[in-house]
Amino acid sequence: MSTIEDARAPGEGARRRPPEPLVPEGERRVSANVCQAAGCLSMQSDLVLGALRDRVEAAGLSDVAVRRVGCLGLCAAGPLVEVPELGRLFDHVQPDDGAALDSLVTTLSGGEPGGQAMAKEPFFSHQVKVVLERCGQVDPERVEDYLDAGGYEALTKTVTTMSPEEVIAEVVRSGLRGRGGAGYPTGLKWTTVAKATSHDGKFVVCNADEGDPGAFMDRSVLESCPQQVLEGMAIAGYAVGAQHGYVYVRAEYPLAVKRLNSAIRQAERSGFLGKQIAGTDFEFHVEVRIGAGAFVCGEETALLASIQGGRGTPRPRPPYPAASGLWGRPTLINNVETYANVPPVVMRGGEWYGSIGTGKSKGTKVFALAGAVVNTGLIEVPMGLSLRQIVFDIGGGLVGGKKFKAVQTGGPSGGCLPEELLDMPIDYESLAQAGSHMGSGGMIVMDESTCMVDVAKYFMDFCREESCGKCLPCRAGTVQMYGLLDKITRGRGTRHDLDTLQSLAEMVRTTSLCGLGQGAPNPVFSTLRYFRDEYLAHIDDHTCPAGACRLDGGER
Amino acid sequence: MVATPARTLSPPSDDKRWRQVEVRMRRLGHRPDGLIEVLHTVQELFGFLDDSALAFVSQSLSVPPSKVYGVATFYSHFMLKPQGEHTCVVCTGTACYINGAGALLAKLKERLGLEAGGTTADGKLSLLQARCLGACSMAPAVVVDGEVHGRVTPSSIAVLVEAL
Amino acid sequence: MSDEVRTLVIDGRDVAGASGQSILSVAEESGVFIPALCHLAGLSEVGSCRLCMVEVEGTARLVASCVTAVEEGMKVTTTSERLLAYRRRAIELLFMERNHVCSVCVADNHCELQELAKTLGVTHFELPPLHPACDVDATHERFVLDHNRCILCARCVRVCDEIEGAHTWDIRGRGTGARLISDLGKPWGESTTCTSCGKCVQVCPTGALYEKGRSVAEGKRHRPYVPFLVATNALGTGRQL
Amino acid sequence: MTAEHKARVATTWLDGCSGCHMSLLDMDERLLEVAERVELVYGCLVDAKEFPEDVDVTLVEGAVSSEEDLRKIREVRARTRVLVSLGDCAVTANVPGMRNPFGPGPVLERAYLENVTLNAQIPHGAVPALLAESLPVHAYVPVDVFVPGCPPSADLIFSVIMDLVEGRLPQVQGTARFG
């Protein structure tokens, strides 16, 4: 099998298709895309799929396809069904909700369209889909769907018409930066790995150990369109000269693991992974490695240690993985979203990609919008959009009309941004300047009932439990910072404790070995910067302005 | 001491599941760096990792026992004790936390008389805590026996647990 | 290690080292003291105690001198107010993490942690002690492991693995709950891999590992122990030092 | 020099072993030198029942372990200009603090029940109640000078006292050490 046409050819003996969704033999007039990502699935969207299929069949609609697709984005309103041809979205569809299903069938049979007009949904305004382009469109467990949607054209183009240098040049031109958090220029990283010499191979690793609490972008992408990530990895392998890839996925994402494994098998059968890809000499093999519950494994050197079967403790860099990674060989590590950006970059060109976004932060960014906002879910927006547009336009404002207090970005090493920064554009530089960072893309909106000291304590609790224990400042420093924050939230803290907290935070940030420890004090710094009065209220007045902390006061 | 060739080691018991473990190890070429993969397999099959399993894996993969133990205790996914018949996992991710996961967990701890990670004396239920299940749009989320329940309240969780 | 010479400045003094050599090692040879607890000449570097961090001109970040190679023209500062403050804080974190009671410790007077606290001028602690409940494992016929004094420097783990080749020791758990373990986390006396060579005892910087029968302040170590072993090993194998 | 110009110095003793006081006495003939500059107004070497007001320097030995220790140190602090934590117990809780990982209950049981063959009972009222933890002095009141050591050497104590009576802040960093 060598070309896309071949791969699409039906009747391949070796190909064993997964259970078919109902797709009409003849012409397909409209389709009903039923979200089967984890969010909607947990609200029984699999039963919705079955129920809808039965009704469509009963109504004899032979030109309607009922399909399972990946994440449709608006997770808060699941289970979701989309009728893309008519631009209608049905939310909160329950498997036993006769009226909703009837309305769907009416819509599908050409009657009065039900549900919401998507064009009018503010949630979908401002969004630009590059990474998520195919997420709500293809069946995540059918490579044929992905191929129909133009999948693997980029890989074919890469290996048949481009040199590795040209691929890298395209990625450099796009201005794409690592979507895992640090924002390191992807093209530069690829160049380094490509230049590294190795007699016994190189590796491409996909970091899918999405550990930031409140972040589910990578999970959604893997559950919705795993092929796009594999395609990005294969292109990367071609560009840097690697034949083997690993995807390191959290054990907490069983559905993502299942779909990824099935995607790898199907890609192998279709000739897009394995030997002689697209009829060329290029070969690329991908294996899945499942994490075992350690946040620190998101750090690249810890991740490598874990893939090699050891304790996931980071090591000092240099040497960087690009020079000495898995088994001491040059290793390219990018995260899920970064790889998913690669096929569109190759297909449409770096120039096109670079036209989206801001000066130094090109392209789009996927965010998981969660917390006290009406429209929680998965969104993809161009870099440079303001926080206000995300929270109030896309997010629909705060639940129950409560007062906005902060947005937390960047996970446990990120920060809390206050109201006065709502008009700040979202890009790497602005976020860093504001004392937070992009992180992998978790965005948690907090209202007036959230205490910012308590939030800082929450993240410190997270870090002290997830510290690997290797380096002293992170291991013992996070525990002591937690103790001080706990003391303050109990109303027992003093101004002196606040000073100690600050100097300790400074020491932990400056002297820790890896990003986990270096970033651990960030929630403290950012809340001290923007919400110092809340700390002082706990200390001086023994009150929690948000009413969230239980103060037992008194002397030690 | 000369190491016994790993391939001829006999498993801790004649339980048939050990064959599956051996197959997994063979597929990984008995390489030391397959340790985590093999531990995953053992836990999937037996539910937890006991000393005899760790010793067997250590010898089969030629990994020092202290390293096997170090790895098995580093990752929160691995269990060194048998788990309860049922599991209840409370997500304590950020979105769940600010939506009251702390109160949920406290309620469960009090009701079951357990700390997170513990199992009831009758072996019926294990209470676990997770670092973000990615179900943030349904916060707070609880997973009971693999099934996700969203927007859980202290009273609804009581009903869920009671039903087990 | 290549023999190419690198010249650099440490605390205003011109010094020279070989390419690939660490700043710490060059400083040691040149008589400049940089505090360190996880580092021990002859063992691999882990860069975990963070005491040896130094300032390098032109670099905003501090670097751990044990794992940073010297470069031509480098300007290194090993002592400054900021570094001293961080180091004192690090010592404090160590003292507060376990139960270090120098006055009744077998390593009193022979302890690198105690000595460093004095050198760095640590006179008291601001942070509260965590006082975890720690075990003392005296099941081995010749040695004792007292977790109360362990600072997780992992010198014992490395000497056992890299020089003795037994890999009896490793670390279990993570974060501040991490503990030194032998074999499958069972008492040391039951270890089937331990050769009772005592190397771990010799390299322990504190009173966490000691010979049975030693009382308070009697836990003197044979130093420099590891460099000697490495040198003899190298003679035997022809490996380059 | 007349008595009026002498510094009013006190010593006190919380949960400790008196070793620091012994070390103080180890100054031997230098005690005469100290006595010329210092009026000892309170302490185990002086027959004073009440801790006096208006003390220039108080050397405190021992950790704060009981309610009585706490009452005492607060009184001392209120009546002292320069408070010196003398020795490891006052500075770090040291040996008294070794009970902290266990909590007071098990410690009392061990001492008064398990290891007793006759009339085993935990005393109530007759001795001050233990605090939950044994802590250094500065956990409760501000301390001006820390002199670690178990005990600090006589030389060190001498130099600290002489520095203080001469109005200098004692520099013990680099000299004093724990243990």
Coordinates of all heavy atoms in Angstrom, one line a residue, chain D residues 27-71:
Chain D
M27 N 33.4 28.4 82.9 CA 34.2 29.6 82.6 C 35.3 29.7 83.7 O 36.3 30.5 83.5 CB 33.4 30.9 82.7 CG 32.6 31.2 81.4 SD 31.8 32.7 81.7 CE 30.2 32.4 81.1
D28 N 35.1 29.0 84.8 CA 36.1 29.0 85.9 C 36.4 30.4 86.3 O 35.5 31.2 86.6 CB 37.3 28.2 85.4 CG 37.0 26.8 85.1 OD1 35.9 26.3 85.6 OD2 37.7 26.2 84.2
E29 N 37.7 30.7 86.3 CA 38.2 32.0 86.9 C 37.6 33.2 86.1 O 37.5 34.3 86.7 CB 39.7 32.1 87.0 CG 40.4 32.3 85.6 CD 40.6 31.0 84.9 OE1 40.1 29.9 85.3 OE2 41.3 31.0 83.8
R30 N 37.2 33.0 84.9 CA 36.6 34.1 84.1 C 35.3 34.6 84.7 O 34.8 35.6 84.4 CB 36.5 33.8 82.7 CG 37.8 33.9 81.9 CD 37.7 33.4 80.5 NE 37.3 32.0 80.5 CZ 37.1 31.3 79.4 NH1 37.2 31.9 78.2 NH2 36.8 30.0 79.4
L31 N 34.7 33.7 85.6 CA 33.5 34.1 86.2 C 33.7 35.4 87.0 O 32.8 36.2 87.1 CB 33.0 33.0 87.2 CG 32.3 31.8 86.5 CD1 32.1 30.6 87.5 CD2 31.0 32.2 85.9
L32 N 34.9 35.5 87.6 CA 35.2 36.8 88.3 C 35.1 38.0 87.4 O 34.6 39.0 87.8 CB 36.6 36.6 89.0 CG 36.7 35.5 90.0 CD1 38.1 35.3 90.4 CD2 35.8 35.7 91.2
E33 N 35.7 37.8 86.2 CA 35.6 38.9 85.2 C 34.2 39.3 84.9 O 33.8 40.4 84.8 CB 36.4 38.4 84.0 CG 37.1 39.5 83.2 CD 37.9 38.8 82.0 OE1 38.6 37.8 82.3 OE2 37.7 39.3 80.9
V34 N 33.4 38.2 84.7 CA 32.0 38.5 84.4 C 31.3 39.1 85.6 O 30.5 40.1 85.4 CB 31.3 37.1 84.0 CG1 29.8 37.3 83.9 CG2 31.8 36.5 82.8
A35 N 31.6 38.7 86.8 CA 30.9 39.2 87.9 C 31.2 40.7 88.1 O 30.4 41.4 88.6 CB 31.4 38.4 89.2
E36 N 32.3 41.1 87.6 CA 32.6 42.6 87.7 C 31.7 43.4 86.9 O 31.4 44.6 87.1 CB 34.1 42.8 87.3 CG 35.1 42.6 88.4 CD 36.5 42.8 88.0 OE1 36.7 43.5 86.9 OE2 37.4 42.3 88.6
R37 N 31.2 42.8 85.8 CA 30.4 43.6 84.8 C 28.9 43.3 84.9 O 28.1 44.0 84.3 CB 30.9 43.2 83.4 CG 32.3 43.2 83.1 CD 32.9 44.7 83.2 NE 32.2 45.6 82.4 CZ 32.5 45.8 81.1 NH1 33.5 45.1 80.6 NH2 31.8 46.6 80.4
V38 N 28.6 42.3 85.7 CA 27.3 41.8 85.6 C 26.7 41.6 87.0 O 27.4 41.2 88.0 CB 27.3 40.4 85.0 CG1 26.1 39.6 85.3 CG2 27.3 40.5 83.5
E39 N 25.4 42.0 87.2 CA 24.7 41.7 88.4 C 23.7 40.6 88.1 O 22.8 40.8 87.3 CB 24.0 42.9 88.9 CG 23.3 42.7 90.3 CD 22.3 43.7 90.6 OE1 22.2 44.7 89.9 OE2 21.6 43.5 91.6
L40 N 23.9 39.4 88.7 CA 23.0 38.3 88.4 C 21.8 38.5 89.2 O 21.8 38.4 90.5 CB 23.8 37.0 88.8 CG 23.2 35.7 88.1 CD1 23.2 35.9 86.6 CD2 24.1 34.6 88.5
V41 N 20.7 38.8 88.6 CA 19.5 39.2 89.4 C 18.5 38.0 89.5 O 17.5 38.1 90.3 CB 18.7 40.4 88.7 CG1 19.6 41.6 88.8 CG2 18.4 40.1 87.3
Y42 N 18.6 37.0 88.7 CA 17.7 35.8 88.8 C 18.4 34.6 88.2 O 19.2 34.7 87.3 CB 16.4 36.1 88.1 CG 15.4 35.1 88.2 CD1 14.5 35.0 89.3 CD2 15.2 34.1 87.2 CE1 13.6 34.0 89.4 CE2 14.3 33.1 87.3 CZ 13.5 33.0 88.4 OH 12.5 32.0 88.5
G43 N 18.0 33.4 88.7 CA 18.5 32.2 88.1 C 18.8 31.2 89.2 O 18.6 31.5 90.4
C44 N 19.2 30.0 88.8 CA 19.4 29.0 89.7 C 20.6 29.2 90.6 O 20.8 28.4 91.6 CB 19.4 27.6 89.0 SG 20.6 27.6 87.7
L45 N 21.4 30.2 90.3 CA 22.6 30.4 91.1 C 22.3 31.6 92.1 O 23.1 32.0 92.9 CB 23.7 30.8 90.2 CG 24.1 29.9 89.1 CD1 25.0 30.5 88.1 CD2 24.6 28.6 89.6
V46 N 21.1 32.1 92.0 CA 20.7 33.3 92.8 C 19.4 32.9 93.6 O 18.6 32.2 93.2 CB 20.4 34.5 91.9 CG1 20.1 35.7 92.8 CG2 21.5 34.7 91.0
D47 N 19.3 33.5 94.8 CA 18.2 33.2 95.6 C 17.1 34.2 95.4 O 16.9 35.1 96.2 CB 18.6 33.1 97.1 CG 17.4 32.7 98.0 OD1 16.5 32.0 97.4 OD2 17.4 32.9 99.2
A48 N 16.5 34.2 94.2 CA 15.4 35.1 94.0 C 14.2 34.3 93.6 O 14.3 33.4 92.7 CB 15.8 36.1 92.9
K49 N 13.0 34.6 94.2 CA 11.8 33.8 93.9 C 11.1 34.3 92.7 O 10.6 33.5 91.9 CB 10.9 33.8 95.1 CG 11.5 33.3 96.4 CD 11.5 31.8 96.4 CE 12.2 31.3 97.7 NZ 13.7 31.2 97.6
E50 N 11.0 35.6 92.5 CA 10.3 36.2 91.4 C 11.2 36.7 90.3 O 12.3 37.2 90.6 CB 9.5 37.5 91.9 CG 8.3 37.2 92.7 CD 7.1 37.0 91.7 OE1 6.9 37.9 90.9 OE2 6.5 35.9 91.8
F51 N 10.8 36.5 89.1 CA 11.6 37.0 88.0 C 11.5 38.6 88.0 O 10.4 39.1 87.9 CB 11.2 36.5 86.7 CG 12.2 36.8 85.6 CD1 13.2 35.9 85.3 CD2 12.1 37.9 84.8 CE1 14.2 36.1 84.3 CE2 13.1 38.2 83.8 CZ 14.1 37.3 83.6
P52 N 12.6 39.3 88.2 CA 12.5 40.7 88.4 C 12.1 41.5 87.1 O 12.2 41.0 86.0 CB 13.9 41.1 88.9 CG 14.8 40.0 88.3 CD 14.0 38.8 88.2
E53 N 11.7 42.7 87.4 CA 11.4 43.6 86.2 C 12.8 44.2 85.7 O 13.8 44.1 86.4 CB 10.6 44.8 86.7 CG 9.2 44.5 87.3 CD 8.2 44.2 86.2 OE1 8.5 44.5 85.0 OE2 7.1 43.8 86.5
D54 N 12.7 44.7 84.5 CA 13.8 45.5 84.1 C 15.2 44.8 84.0 O 16.2 45.3 84.5 CB 14.0 46.8 85.0 CG 14.7 47.9 84.3 OD1 14.6 47.9 83.0 OD2 15.2 48.8 85.0
V55 N 15.2 43.7 83.3 CA 16.4 42.9 83.2 C 17.0 43.2 81.8 O 16.3 43.4 80.8 CB 16.1 41.4 83.3 CG1 17.3 40.6 83.0 CG2 15.5 41.0 84.6
D56 N 18.4 43.4 81.9 CA 19.0 43.8 80.6 C 19.2 42.5 79.7 O 18.8 42.6 78.5 CB 20.4 44.3 80.9 CG 20.4 45.7 81.5 OD1 19.6 46.5 81.1 OD2 21.0 45.9 82.6
V57 N 19.7 41.5 80.2 CA 19.9 40.3 79.4 C 19.5 39.0 80.2 O 19.7 38.9 81.4 CB 21.5 40.1 79.1 CG1 21.7 38.8 78.4 CG2 22.0 41.3 78.4
T58 N 18.7 38.2 79.5 CA 18.3 36.9 80.1 C 18.8 35.8 79.2 O 18.6 35.8 78.0 CB 16.8 36.7 80.3 OG1 16.4 37.8 81.1 CG2 16.5 35.4 80.9
L59 N 19.6 34.9 79.8 CA 20.0 33.7 79.1 C 19.0 32.6 79.4 O 18.8 32.3 80.6 CB 21.4 33.2 79.5 CG 22.5 34.2 79.5 CD1 23.8 33.6 80.1 CD2 22.8 34.6 78.1
V60 N 18.3 32.0 78.4 CA 17.3 31.0 78.7 C 17.8 29.7 78.1 O 18.2 29.5 77.0 CB 15.9 31.4 78.2 CG1 16.0 31.7 76.7 CG2 14.9 30.2 78.4
E61 N 17.8 28.7 79.0 CA 18.2 27.3 78.6 C 16.9 26.5 78.5 O 16.0 26.6 79.3 CB 19.1 26.7 79.7 CG 19.4 25.2 79.4 CD 20.1 24.5 80.6 OE1 20.7 25.2 81.4 OE2 20.0 23.3 80.6
G62 N 16.8 25.6 77.6 CA 15.7 24.6 77.5 C 14.6 25.0 76.5 O 14.5 26.2 76.1
A63 N 13.9 24.0 76.2 CA 12.8 24.2 75.2 C 11.5 24.5 76.0 O 11.4 24.3 77.2 CB 12.6 22.9 74.4
V64 N 10.5 25.0 75.2 CA 9.2 25.2 75.8 C 8.3 24.0 75.7 O 7.9 23.6 74.6 CB 8.5 26.4 75.2 CG1 7.2 26.7 75.8 CG2 9.4 27.6 75.2
S65 N 8.1 23.2 76.8 CA 7.4 22.0 76.7 C 6.1 21.9 77.4 O 5.3 21.1 77.1 CB 8.4 20.8 77.2 OG 9.5 20.8 76.5
S66 N 6.0 22.7 78.5 CA 4.8 22.6 79.3 C 4.1 24.0 79.4 O 4.7 25.0 79.0 CB 5.2 22.1 80.7 OG 5.9 23.1 81.4
E67 N 3.0 23.9 80.0 CA 2.3 25.2 80.2 C 3.0 26.1 81.1 O 3.0 27.3 81.0 CB 0.9 24.9 80.8 CG -0.1 24.4 79.7 CD -1.4 23.9 80.2 OE1 -1.6 24.0 81.4 OE2 -2.2 23.4 79.3
E68 N 3.7 25.5 82.1 CA 4.5 26.4 83.0 C 5.7 27.0 82.3 O 6.0 28.2 82.5 CB 5.0 25.5 84.2 CG 6.0 26.1 85.1 CD 5.5 27.4 85.8 OE1 4.3 27.7 85.7 OE2 6.4 28.2 86.4
D69 N 6.3 26.3 81.4 CA 7.4 26.8 80.6 C 6.9 28.0 79.8 O 7.6 29.1 79.7 CB 7.9 25.8 79.5 CG 8.7 24.6 80.2 OD1 9.1 24.8 81.3 OD2 8.7 23.6 79.5
L70 N 5.7 27.9 79.2 CA 5.1 28.9 78.4 C 4.8 30.2 79.2 O 5.2 31.3 78.8 CB 3.9 28.4 77.7 CG 3.2 29.3 76.7 CD1 4.2 29.7 75.6 CD2 2.0 28.6 76.0
R71 N 4.2 30.0 80.4 CA 4.0 31.1 81.3 C 5.3 31.8 81.6 O 5.4 33.0 81.5 CB 3.3 30.6 82.6 CG 2.8 31.7 83.5 CD 2.7 31.2 84.9 NE 3.9 30.8 85.5 CZ 4.9 31.6 86.0 NH1 4.7 32.9 85.8 NH2 6.0 31.1 86.5

